Amino acid sequence: MKPTRRASYELFYWPMIQGRGEFVRLALEDAGAPYVDVAREPDGMKRMMALMKDAGGGLAPFAPPFLRTGKLLVAQTANILAIVAPALGLVGKSEGARAYAHQVQLTIMDLVVEAHDTHHPLGGSLYYEDQKPESKQRSAGFVKERIPKHLGWLERALAASGGPYLFGRKASYVDLSAFQVVAGLDYAFPRAMKRMTRSIRRLRALSERVAERPRTAAYLASSRRIPFNEHGIFRRYPELDEA
Ligand SMILES: N[C@@H](CCC(=O)N[C@@H](CS)C(=O)NCC(=O)O)C(=O)O
């Protein structure tokens, strides 16, 4: 199927944070797809909350992000991306290409959960301030072992593909997501990320390349890109970073 730029998309996600919605935003923006970030529109939050209660006969999403395209209302970040990427021209056509892309995306989403859990190790129903000692303990292992393991794995995937992208010469939605986790980790753990820069040279080069893609660069410079903040997944709490 020829990639279409005409399909229209409605993205539903919390309006004040990048969060998981950002992985979908980046794909839509990079592809130049026409989309509405519904919860940032007047009455949009109301529409988003209503759909989680009643999707009008379809399957109601459990949590944002979710995306409406045509008759389909689909949730789960990696699932959304896997479904829209072929039409956006952001994944290879073969079953193998799509399966590998989905596999790496799911692993990136695992890293996102781990990043979130550094400031909420006891759970989302408590404030960060109520779980600071546990956050510190959780972050120590994350910084020392988990970031290097995850990013080292992406680095090896880049070495194996020959780059410049994770699956070779053509960019996929997974490259955009890899850029986003590197950006998020740079924001949240600047000292740890600086120390490991030399061991992730290919991943750094990939991130720079993604940030320079014309539509992505325009998006990153626009007001549509919500700055990182301490309500999202990647939070800058210096006490959780490497000493
Ligand atoms: N596995 C889901 C997780 C979705 C999720 O946790 N969404 C968050 C915002 S990033 C949320 O609003 N959760 C509400 C809840 O879990 O009750 C995905 O990757 O999309």
Side-chain angles (χ1 to χ4, degrees):
M1 189 174 93
K2 226 173 159 287
T4 167
R5 309 271 181 235
R6 264 169 292 143
S8 71
Y9 301 91
E10 282 184 313
L11 171 65
F12 296 83
Y13 193 66
W14 305 114
M16 309 307 282
I17 59 171
Q18 292 183 15
R20 289 179 174 85
E22 197 65 13
F23 297 95
V24 183
R25 288 194 189 106
L26 281 167
L28 296 169
E29 292 279 352
D30 190 82
Y35 78 101
V36 181
D37 206 337
V38 177
R40 296 177 78 181
E41 302 278 304
D43 274 345
M45 274 294 284
K46 224 194 273 174
R47 283 186 59 205
M48 181 169 97
M49 303 314 282
L51 276 173
M52 283 190 280
K53 287 213 175 83
D54 179 1
L59 183 63
F62 177 77
F66 43 95
L67 187 86
R68 180 145 53 196
T69 171
K71 287 188 179 146
L72 195 62
L73 180 66
V74 63
Q76 288 286 351
T77 313
N79 189 41
I80 297 169
L81 288 165
I83 282 167
V84 299
L88 299 180
L90 280 174
V91 71
K93 287 191 176 62
S94 71
E95 187 181 31
R98 285 182 285 115
Y100 275 158
H102 192 43
Q103 179 176 324
V104 180
Q105 186 66 37
L106 285 166
T107 312
I108 289 176
M109 299 321 294
D110 289 344
L111 170 57
V112 167
V113 172
E114 291 187 40
H116 170 269
D117 289 353
T118 59
H119 49 78
H120 278 80
L122 300 184
S125 47
L126 292 174
Y127 291 112
Y128 166 61
E129 285 68 25
D130 299 327
Q131 44 191 315
K132 274 178 132 177
E134 294 84 0
S135 296
K136 223 167 161 175
Q137 210 177 339
R138 182 75 185 239
S139 298
F142 181 68
V143 160
K144 190 158 177 267
E145 288 161 21
R146 301 303 290 174
I147 300 182
K149 183 166 182 180
H150 270 284
L151 299 192
W153 180 71
L154 291 173
E155 182 75 7
R156 288 200 303 284
L158 277 164
S161 80
Y165 293 112
L166 280 159
F167 301 110
R169 282 185 300 107
K170 245 191 126 243
S172 73
Y173 67 91
V174 191
D175 297 294
L176 308 175
S177 293
F179 155 80
Q180 177 64 12
V181 285
V182 169
L185 292 171
D186 276 340
Y187 175 78
F189 301 98
R191 291 194 294 269
M193 288 297 282
K194 192 163 179 215
R195 184 183 51 78
M196 63 173 303
T197 276
R198 286 171 61 187
S199 52
I200 52 163
R201 284 209 181 98
R202 290 183 178 86
L203 191 54
R204 286 260 166 236
L206 167 79
S207 292
E208 280 164 29
R209 188 176 280 253
V210 165
E212 284 166 6
R213 288 168 65 80
R215 281 193 287 253
T216 294
Y219 165 63
L220 295 175
S222 76
S223 58
R224 297 190 302 287
R225 171 82 165 178
I226 300 163
F228 284 110
N229 60 48
E230 280 52 64
H231 302 287
I233 289 167
F234 297 104
R235 302 189 186 186
R236 181 168 287 178
Y237 295 134
E239 63 274 22
L240 301 186
D241 196 359
E242 192 169 271

